[in-house]
Amino acid sequence: SSITSLHAQYDVQVWKWFSMMAAARLDTHLADRAGSSRVKFNVNPGLSLMARMDLTSNVALEATADWTTQYYHTLEGIPVGWSADLLVPTSPSVPPEHARQYYAGIFTSFGQHHLTLGAYDKAMSNLVYFLDAGQLFSPVIAGWSNNIRVGSGTSRGVEFLYEKDGERLDWHLAYTLSKTDRLFDKVNNGQRFPAKFDRRHIINATASYTIIDKGHINLDFITSFTLQSGHWETMQDGYLPVWGVIDQSVRKAPLISAVNNYQMPTYIRWDNSVRMEIQGSRVSHT
């Protein structure tokens, strides 16, 4: 595959309190398929808009809108636990992925304190779902593009950020409330289901305190805390009685009611560290 892009950006300060930015992009994408004469040629425009309004010297509003295209996809439907995602390229049988996102936020600063509150709405199309992850380590994977579904997804959320800058103490607190789902034909009976990493609540807090700062010696204490709602897994949640024709007996067959029907426990992590730096005339230690 090959991608050729043309990009342009324009920034303007309309008034002292109002500024705008517009960025346009035009992609041409050519892809073929190994062992096949099929060739796919795509032309995709992209656009990003941003507007900022300073209401006062300490309060500002910002809004953005983005329409983007990408030519590599995260293959969904794969079990969690891998060290890396499985990426698949756009090809004659896999269309490029499109996304549309809107964001609006308010920013304020007073002294050493900074607050941000924003909300976003995102829609994605041409997402790729692998139907039979159980065959991933068999020769079937060579024909993965014959065993996929192309669908869509949405994500909406609210984000909050508080930061404090000081001579000795710096810290920030971030919280996100969001909902992300997926919709694929012939997956989950055509009903929407939560995305693998649909984390409803995410809290991150970090603080840094300078204990010693005497030029050649610096000693800091750093603490970091995160709490995230558990990701989603597809789990067996019951049995169905099945009549065995050969041995004339009733057996139990696994029942899975829905895709991503089980939420894993909340993820909590707290890290603490001490960092010392000694600056010598010839040697420095950390």
Side-chain angles (χ1 to χ4, degrees):
S1 66
S2 64
I3 304 172
T4 303
S5 299
L6 178 66
H7 178 265
Q9 180 171 318
Y10 180 69
D11 298 84
V12 58
Q13 186 80 31
V14 182
W15 296 287
K16 186 177 180 180
W17 50 270
F18 185 78
S19 60
M20 295 181 63
M21 183 276 291
R25 182 185 182 96
L26 182 65
D27 295 333
T28 60
H29 176 258
L30 180 66
D32 61 13
R33 185 173 179 180
S36 172
S37 60
R38 295 179 61 192
V39 176
K40 183 67 174 180
F41 182 74
N42 298 293
V43 178
N44 296 292
L47 183 63
S48 294
L49 303 173
M50 187 275 288
R52 180 184 176 94
M53 179 184 298
D54 296 324
L55 301 180
T56 68
S57 59
N58 299 323
V59 180
L61 299 176
E62 185 174 286
T64 64
D66 299 278
W67 294 267
T68 60
T69 302
Q70 69 180 50
Y71 303 95
Y72 288 88
H73 314 263
T74 299
L75 194 58
E76 303 199 12
I78 306 300
V80 168
W82 290 21
S83 59
D85 293 324
L86 184 60
L87 301 180
V88 297
T90 292
S91 68
S93 58
V94 181
E97 182 178 327
H98 300 286
R100 178 270 301 158
Q101 178 170 299
Y102 303 122
Y103 170 84
I106 183 171
F107 311 87
T108 181
S109 297
F110 45 96
Q112 300 176 340
H113 306 274
H114 312 279
L115 287 170
T116 302
L117 179 63
Y120 73 92
D121 180 89
K122 183 176 184 179
M124 298 156 282
S125 61
N126 295 340
L127 302 177
V128 183
Y129 189 95
F130 190 53
L131 289 176
D132 195 359
Q135 301 295 322
L136 201 58
F137 296 103
S138 71
V140 174
I141 191 59
W144 64 267
S145 59
N146 298 319
N147 199 22
I148 62 172
R149 288 291 182 268
V150 177
S152 61
T154 63
S155 182
R156 299 178 178 89
V158 177
E159 302 172 328
F160 169 79
L161 174 64
Y162 171 59
E163 297 177 291
K164 187 264 182 184
D165 300 324
E167 295 182 1
R168 287 188 172 270
L169 177 63
D170 297 330
W171 63 285
H172 84 264
L173 173 66
Y175 171 68
T176 300
L177 173 66
S178 63
K179 183 179 185 297
T180 305
D181 60 23
R182 296 289 188 262
L183 178 63
F184 295 93
D185 182 36
K186 298 184 179 179
V187 177
N188 199 46
N189 297 318
Q191 301 296 315
R192 289 190 177 274
F193 58 91
K196 178 74 69 175
F197 291 103
D198 170 36
R199 301 187 187 275
R200 193 59 46 85
H201 305 281
I202 299 177
I203 300 175
N204 290 305
T206 303
S208 174
Y209 181 75
T210 301
I211 302 173
I212 300 175
D213 186 7
K214 292 186 177 181
H216 65 287
I217 298 179
N218 184 271
L219 179 64
D220 295 323
F221 172 74
I222 303 168
T223 183
S224 178
F225 175 82
T226 183
L227 183 149
Q228 302 178 15
S229 299
H231 67 266
W232 295 84
E233 289 283 5
T234 302
M235 304 287 285
Q236 175 183 330
D237 51 8
Y239 293 94
L240 282 175
V242 177
W243 177 255
V245 178
I246 298 178
D247 55 5
Q248 303 293 304
S249 63
V250 178
R251 299 180 179 180
K252 291 182 177 180
L255 171 65
I256 298 177
S257 61
V259 175
N260 293 344
N261 58 348
Y262 180 78
Q263 187 175 22
M264 300 296 285
T266 300
Y267 174 81
I268 301 175
R269 175 169 176 161
W270 186 19
D271 292 290
N272 296 283
S273 62
V274 175
R275 182 180 186 275
M276 174 181 285
E277 185 174 354
I278 301 175
Q279 295 286 345
S281 59
R282 300 178 62 183
V283 180
S284 298
H285 306 271
T286 301

